[in-house]
Amino acid sequence: MSSIRSASAAAVAPAPGTPTGTTPTGTTPTRTTPAGRPVPALLLALLAAPLAAGANAPVLIVPDIARSLDVPVGAAAQLLTAFGWAVAVAGPLLAGLLRHRGTAVLLRLSAALVLVGALTVAVSPWLPLTLLGRCVQAAGGAGFVAAAVALAGTARRMGVVSAGFGVLGAAGPLLGRALTETASWRLALALPVISLLAVPAVARRAAASRAASAPAPGRFDTRGAVLLTALVTALVLLATAPLAALGAALAAAALLVLHVRRRPDGFVPVALLRRPAFLWSALLALAVSTSYFTVLLTVPRLLADRAGWDPAAVGTGQLVALLAGSALSWPLAAASARLGRGVLRTVLAALGAASALTAVLADSGPLLLAATAAGVFTATAANAVLSTHAVAAAPDAGRRPAAIGLFTLAYQLGGAFGPAVAGLLVLGT
């Protein structure tokens, strides 16, 4: 991902009961400390972006992991899908925690999850336990993403965070390969612990802003959270167990609809789902993200099979393409306020489709790398731009954490769908 590329972003709003305001253009101002200074965007990038490196670290080392754990390559590839699933599920759950318990609690819990998950992966001798550790690790990273999104505030600042996702996501496969060759694949899967370096500074600066850290009143909608988790899980399993997963998805969806009608202000707010701007942003993010993660995982194999590139050339070429696409996405995010939403969505949709089609049809190495660059550009820009659109669509401040969580779910669900699709296409699962 760049998995997580990760992660999702938007303007932060005060908790209910906190004074709010808008700029002359009608956009929500950046949350700041009492001294008027927001948490630095680079610090937020350090908090959130290592999730992307951890998500993509296994891309080139799945066979090494399979040999070490004595499992088929297809089974080891589940480490990618499981990570994306966990980020997708944990995103809205921990955004709910942010709403009800505040930033400080979210940061502490997320740090604990990342650390426990990394330690579990470090000592696990079995694939199931390794999968569990990866999921715990991914959940903590999703919490960091939710915190970064909540403290970013503008598309320009979120563009920095999202570009950080792209850069570390781009470096993830080669970092994973380098760490595996020099030490162990277990160290490669521990890359998300880099986020812990940013936690103390982010916690101090967030605590200085009472509004940014204040929890909101109300009970947590446990049933809504469970039903949404069941629905997401069933959707992720569609590629591997179509009939059973489809039945489970339909049942979970029906129960979730009934629950939302009974509790319209719960975990999935009806008022948010009725906003076309939110729905279009989330659905486009899902489509773009799925396309990107599929291309990310299929192009290395296609470069070897179609263009005859050796592993070193594949890794170097993909890194250059990913870094270039990530770097180019930030100017688009920075300029997004001056462009119409319709234009932005059209550009993102067209580039996402072009990336996927090029990967399917191209035989030359440069064109396949161009597909990768276009994919990461589109996904990174979508993460920064569409998230601000989605959160701005929230009808009031109290529903913005839900908008953050549900948008993150849509984007990161692509991080689960993409590896599953890639597995069906080229990884032999």
Side-chain angles (χ1 to χ4, degrees):
M1 206 175 281
S2 159
S3 105
I4 342 43
R5 253 109 205 354
S6 184
S8 5
V12 172
T18 304
T20 60
T22 57
T23 65
T25 60
T27 58
T28 305
T30 302
R31 166 95 50 211
T32 61
T33 66
R37 290 176 296 181
V39 179
L42 289 176
L43 189 60
L44 296 178
L46 178 60
L47 179 72
L51 177 70
N56 292 346
V59 168
L60 299 178
I61 60 172
V62 168
D64 301 87
I65 298 173
R67 283 193 297 271
S68 176
L69 297 176
D70 194 24
V71 297
V73 172
Q78 294 175 10
L79 290 167
L80 292 158
T81 302
F83 196 94
W85 167 82
V87 174
V89 167
L93 290 175
L94 293 177
L97 180 70
L98 172 66
R99 178 186 179 190
H100 290 282
R101 298 296 181 184
T103 309
V105 172
L106 175 63
L107 289 173
R108 288 196 296 269
L109 176 60
S110 299
L113 290 172
V114 167
L115 185 58
V116 169
L119 291 174
T120 301
V121 171
V123 302
S124 170
W126 309 296
L127 178 62
L129 186 58
T130 305
L131 286 169
L132 177 61
R134 283 279 284 173
C135 290
V136 172
Q137 195 179 44
F144 286 147
V145 170
V149 168
L151 294 167
T154 66
R156 179 184 293 270
R157 283 165 48 78
M158 190 55 209
V160 175
V161 177
S162 191
F165 262 93
V167 169
L168 285 188
L174 283 189
L175 282 173
R177 167 58 65 192
L179 290 171
T180 299
E181 291 177 347
T182 58
S184 168
W185 61 265
R186 299 178 188 276
L187 185 60
L189 300 192
L191 285 171
V193 300
I194 297 171
S195 294
L196 300 181
L197 298 174
V199 171
V202 172
R204 285 196 303 271
R205 290 174 180 264
S209 175
R210 182 171 60 89
S213 300
R219 293 186 300 108
F220 183 75
D221 181 11
T222 303
R223 181 176 297 178
V226 169
L227 290 174
L228 183 62
T229 300
L231 175 59
V232 171
T233 303
L235 291 175
V236 170
L237 294 174
L238 277 173
T240 54
L243 292 180
L246 180 61
L250 291 174
L255 292 173
L256 182 60
V257 168
L258 292 174
H259 176 73
V260 168
R261 287 180 177 176
R262 288 194 298 267
R263 190 169 176 181
D265 292 323
F267 193 73
V268 183
V270 170
L272 189 61
L273 298 181
R274 289 175 177 169
R275 298 294 176 116
F278 173 82
L279 291 177
W280 280 113
S281 297
L283 290 174
L284 180 55
L286 171 61
V288 166
S289 176
T290 301
S291 172
Y292 163 63
F293 285 108
T294 302
V295 168
L296 176 70
L297 295 173
T298 56
V299 163
R301 178 68 64 86
L302 296 177
L303 284 170
D305 294 345
R306 296 180 183 175
W309 287 23
D310 60 44
V314 169
T316 302
Q318 188 174 40
L319 176 62
V320 171
L322 290 170
L323 290 175
S326 300
L328 290 172
S329 70
W330 185 82
L332 178 62
S336 62
R338 298 191 297 271
L339 301 175
R341 292 188 177 185
V343 172
L344 284 169
R345 291 172 183 169
T346 300
V347 168
L348 293 173
L351 286 175
S355 172
L357 287 174
T358 301
V360 169
L361 300 175
D363 289 326
S364 73
L367 282 178
L368 289 170
L369 290 180
T372 300
V376 71
F377 172 88
T378 307
T380 305
N383 193 31
V385 174
L386 296 179
S387 58
T388 60
H389 295 176
V391 177
D396 54 57
R399 291 180 178 87
R400 284 174 185 160
I404 291 172
L406 293 177
F407 178 87
T408 302
L409 165 65
Y411 182 88
Q412 297 297 346
L413 197 54
F417 286 165
V421 174
L424 290 174
L425 294 176
V426 301
L427 296 179
T429 59

mmCIF file of all heavy atoms in Angstrom, residues 243-265:
data_model
loop_
_atom_site.group_PDB
_atom_site.id
_atom_site.type_symbol
_atom_site.label_atom_id
_atom_site.label_comp_id
_atom_site.label_asym_id
_atom_site.label_seq_id
_atom_site.Cartn_x
_atom_site.Cartn_y
_atom_site.Cartn_z
ATOM 1 N N LEU A 243 -18.289 -17.373 -3.683
ATOM 2 C CA LEU A 243 -19.674 -17.652 -3.305
ATOM 3 C C LEU A 243 -19.920 -17.389 -1.820
ATOM 4 O O LEU A 243 -20.879 -16.700 -1.447
ATOM 5 C CB LEU A 243 -20.025 -19.102 -3.659
ATOM 6 C CG LEU A 243 -20.080 -19.416 -5.154
ATOM 7 C CD1 LEU A 243 -20.428 -20.886 -5.382
ATOM 8 C CD2 LEU A 243 -21.104 -18.514 -5.846
ATOM 9 N N ALA A 244 -19.073 -17.947 -0.981
ATOM 10 C CA ALA A 244 -19.244 -17.746 0.458
ATOM 11 C C ALA A 244 -19.104 -16.279 0.824
ATOM 12 O O ALA A 244 -19.884 -15.737 1.632
ATOM 13 C CB ALA A 244 -18.224 -18.584 1.228
ATOM 14 N N ALA A 245 -18.114 -15.599 0.233
ATOM 15 C CA ALA A 245 -17.890 -14.191 0.554
ATOM 16 C C ALA A 245 -19.043 -13.326 0.073
ATOM 17 O O ALA A 245 -19.451 -12.377 0.758
ATOM 18 C CB ALA A 245 -16.575 -13.719 -0.065
ATOM 19 N N LEU A 246 -19.582 -13.649 -1.105
ATOM 20 C CA LEU A 246 -20.717 -12.873 -1.615
ATOM 21 C C LEU A 246 -21.919 -13.013 -0.700
ATOM 22 O O LEU A 246 -22.598 -12.023 -0.375
ATOM 23 C CB LEU A 246 -21.061 -13.328 -3.027
ATOM 24 C CG LEU A 246 -22.236 -12.607 -3.688
ATOM 25 C CD1 LEU A 246 -21.945 -11.110 -3.807
ATOM 26 C CD2 LEU A 246 -22.536 -13.206 -5.065
ATOM 27 N N GLY A 247 -22.206 -14.229 -0.264
ATOM 28 C CA GLY A 247 -23.321 -14.421 0.657
ATOM 29 C C GLY A 247 -23.124 -13.685 1.962
ATOM 30 O O GLY A 247 -24.051 -13.032 2.472
ATOM 31 N N ALA A 248 -21.912 -13.762 2.499
ATOM 32 C CA ALA A 248 -21.626 -13.059 3.749
ATOM 33 C C ALA A 248 -21.712 -11.553 3.568
ATOM 34 O O ALA A 248 -22.215 -10.837 4.448
ATOM 35 C CB ALA A 248 -20.234 -13.449 4.251
ATOM 36 N N ALA A 249 -21.241 -11.060 2.422
ATOM 37 C CA ALA A 249 -21.290 -9.620 2.171
ATOM 38 C C ALA A 249 -22.725 -9.126 2.071
ATOM 39 O O ALA A 249 -23.071 -8.062 2.620
ATOM 40 C CB ALA A 249 -20.522 -9.287 0.894
ATOM 41 N N LEU A 250 -23.567 -9.877 1.376
ATOM 42 C CA LEU A 250 -24.970 -9.470 1.248
ATOM 43 C C LEU A 250 -25.662 -9.475 2.607
ATOM 44 O O LEU A 250 -26.441 -8.560 2.931
ATOM 45 C CB LEU A 250 -25.693 -10.398 0.276
ATOM 46 C CG LEU A 250 -25.272 -10.284 -1.201
ATOM 47 C CD1 LEU A 250 -25.960 -11.360 -2.039
ATOM 48 C CD2 LEU A 250 -25.594 -8.895 -1.740
ATOM 49 N N ALA A 251 -25.389 -10.509 3.414
ATOM 50 C CA ALA A 251 -26.004 -10.579 4.743
ATOM 51 C C ALA A 251 -25.524 -9.430 5.625
ATOM 52 O O ALA A 251 -26.333 -8.774 6.303
ATOM 53 C CB ALA A 251 -25.672 -11.920 5.392
ATOM 54 N N ALA A 252 -24.216 -9.168 5.617
ATOM 55 C CA ALA A 252 -23.681 -8.086 6.441
ATOM 56 C C ALA A 252 -24.205 -6.740 5.982
ATOM 57 O O ALA A 252 -24.525 -5.865 6.800
ATOM 58 C CB ALA A 252 -22.152 -8.107 6.400
ATOM 59 N N ALA A 253 -24.312 -6.554 4.660
ATOM 60 C CA ALA A 253 -24.818 -5.296 4.134
ATOM 61 C C ALA A 253 -26.275 -5.067 4.544
ATOM 62 O O ALA A 253 -26.662 -3.962 4.931
ATOM 63 C CB ALA A 253 -24.683 -5.269 2.613
ATOM 64 N N ALA A 254 -27.077 -6.133 4.457
ATOM 65 C CA ALA A 254 -28.485 -5.995 4.846
ATOM 66 C C ALA A 254 -28.619 -5.652 6.324
ATOM 67 O O ALA A 254 -29.406 -4.763 6.701
ATOM 68 C CB ALA A 254 -29.222 -7.297 4.531
ATOM 69 N N LEU A 255 -27.868 -6.338 7.167
ATOM 70 C CA LEU A 255 -27.923 -6.043 8.607
ATOM 71 C C LEU A 255 -27.411 -4.636 8.905
ATOM 72 O O LEU A 255 -27.945 -3.945 9.781
ATOM 73 C CB LEU A 255 -27.099 -7.078 9.373
ATOM 74 C CG LEU A 255 -27.661 -8.508 9.381
ATOM 75 C CD1 LEU A 255 -26.666 -9.460 10.029
ATOM 76 C CD2 LEU A 255 -29.005 -8.542 10.130
ATOM 77 N N LEU A 256 -26.382 -4.209 8.172
ATOM 78 C CA LEU A 256 -25.847 -2.866 8.395
ATOM 79 C C LEU A 256 -26.865 -1.803 7.991
ATOM 80 O O LEU A 256 -27.027 -0.792 8.686
ATOM 81 C CB LEU A 256 -24.547 -2.683 7.606
ATOM 82 C CG LEU A 256 -23.833 -1.339 7.785
ATOM 83 C CD1 LEU A 256 -23.450 -1.114 9.242
ATOM 84 C CD2 LEU A 256 -22.593 -1.269 6.899
ATOM 85 N N VAL A 257 -27.556 -2.021 6.880
ATOM 86 C CA VAL A 257 -28.590 -1.065 6.451
ATOM 87 C C VAL A 257 -29.683 -0.950 7.518
ATOM 88 O O VAL A 257 -30.124 0.157 7.872
ATOM 89 C CB VAL A 257 -29.188 -1.497 5.099
ATOM 90 C CG1 VAL A 257 -30.450 -0.689 4.786
ATOM 91 C CG2 VAL A 257 -28.158 -1.312 3.987
ATOM 92 N N LEU A 258 -30.132 -2.089 8.032
ATOM 93 C CA LEU A 258 -31.161 -2.056 9.075
ATOM 94 C C LEU A 258 -30.654 -1.331 10.325
ATOM 95 O O LEU A 258 -31.389 -0.548 10.944
ATOM 96 C CB LEU A 258 -31.579 -3.489 9.437
ATOM 97 C CG LEU A 258 -32.329 -4.267 8.350
ATOM 98 C CD1 LEU A 258 -32.555 -5.709 8.801
ATOM 99 C CD2 LEU A 258 -33.656 -3.582 8.039
ATOM 100 N N HIS A 259 -29.410 -1.580 10.678
ATOM 101 C CA HIS A 259 -28.854 -0.926 11.864
ATOM 102 C C HIS A 259 -28.724 0.579 11.657
ATOM 103 O O HIS A 259 -29.035 1.357 12.571
ATOM 104 C CB HIS A 259 -27.488 -1.521 12.190
ATOM 105 C CG HIS A 259 -26.807 -0.832 13.327
ATOM 106 N ND1 HIS A 259 -27.203 -0.976 14.643
ATOM 107 C CD2 HIS A 259 -25.759 0.051 13.348
ATOM 108 C CE1 HIS A 259 -26.437 -0.232 15.417
ATOM 109 N NE2 HIS A 259 -25.555 0.399 14.662
ATOM 110 N N VAL A 260 -28.283 0.978 10.490
ATOM 111 C CA VAL A 260 -28.122 2.409 10.210
ATOM 112 C C VAL A 260 -29.470 3.112 10.271
ATOM 113 O O VAL A 260 -29.566 4.261 10.730
ATOM 114 C CB VAL A 260 -27.444 2.609 8.848
ATOM 115 C CG1 VAL A 260 -27.534 4.062 8.394
ATOM 116 C CG2 VAL A 260 -25.977 2.192 8.920
ATOM 117 N N ARG A 261 -30.518 2.433 9.844
ATOM 118 C CA ARG A 261 -31.854 3.043 9.930
ATOM 119 C C ARG A 261 -32.290 3.224 11.383
ATOM 120 O O ARG A 261 -32.954 4.203 11.727
ATOM 121 C CB ARG A 261 -32.869 2.170 9.187
ATOM 122 C CG ARG A 261 -32.729 2.237 7.676
ATOM 123 C CD ARG A 261 -33.757 1.351 6.987
ATOM 124 N NE ARG A 261 -33.677 1.465 5.540
ATOM 125 C CZ ARG A 261 -34.408 0.755 4.693
ATOM 126 N NH1 ARG A 261 -35.281 -0.138 5.181
ATOM 127 N NH2 ARG A 261 -34.279 0.925 3.399
ATOM 128 N N ARG A 262 -31.915 2.257 12.234
ATOM 129 C CA ARG A 262 -32.268 2.365 13.648
ATOM 130 C C ARG A 262 -31.394 3.392 14.374
ATOM 131 O O ARG A 262 -31.838 4.037 15.319
ATOM 132 C CB ARG A 262 -32.142 1.009 14.336
ATOM 133 C CG ARG A 262 -33.206 0.006 13.967
ATOM 134 C CD ARG A 262 -33.221 -1.169 14.935
ATOM 135 N NE ARG A 262 -31.962 -1.893 14.894
ATOM 136 C CZ ARG A 262 -31.736 -2.954 14.126
ATOM 137 N NH1 ARG A 262 -32.703 -3.399 13.332
ATOM 138 N NH2 ARG A 262 -30.566 -3.564 14.137
ATOM 139 N N ARG A 263 -30.139 3.504 13.940
ATOM 140 C CA ARG A 263 -29.220 4.440 14.584
ATOM 141 C C ARG A 263 -28.529 5.288 13.511
ATOM 142 O O ARG A 263 -27.380 5.048 13.148
ATOM 143 C CB ARG A 263 -28.188 3.687 15.420
ATOM 144 C CG ARG A 263 -27.371 4.613 16.295
ATOM 145 C CD ARG A 263 -26.546 3.862 17.316
ATOM 146 N NE ARG A 263 -25.704 4.784 18.061
ATOM 147 C CZ ARG A 263 -24.858 4.429 19.015
ATOM 148 N NH1 ARG A 263 -24.755 3.141 19.355
ATOM 149 N NH2 ARG A 263 -24.126 5.317 19.643
ATOM 150 N N PRO A 264 -29.241 6.287 12.996
ATOM 151 C CA PRO A 264 -28.712 7.068 11.868
ATOM 152 C C PRO A 264 -27.495 7.919 12.208
ATOM 153 O O PRO A 264 -26.784 8.363 11.300
ATOM 154 C CB PRO A 264 -29.898 7.950 11.465
ATOM 155 C CG PRO A 264 -30.757 8.021 12.694
ATOM 156 C CD PRO A 264 -30.594 6.707 13.376
ATOM 157 N N ASP A 265 -27.229 8.164 13.487
ATOM 158 C CA ASP A 265 -26.072 8.962 13.877
ATOM 159 C C ASP A 265 -24.972 8.106 14.482
ATOM 160 O O ASP A 265 -24.120 8.598 15.227
ATOM 161 C CB ASP A 265 -26.494 10.032 14.896
ATOM 162 C CG ASP A 265 -27.393 11.081 14.271
ATOM 163 O OD1 ASP A 265 -27.151 11.433 13.101
ATOM 164 O OD2 ASP A 265 -28.346 11.531 14.937
#
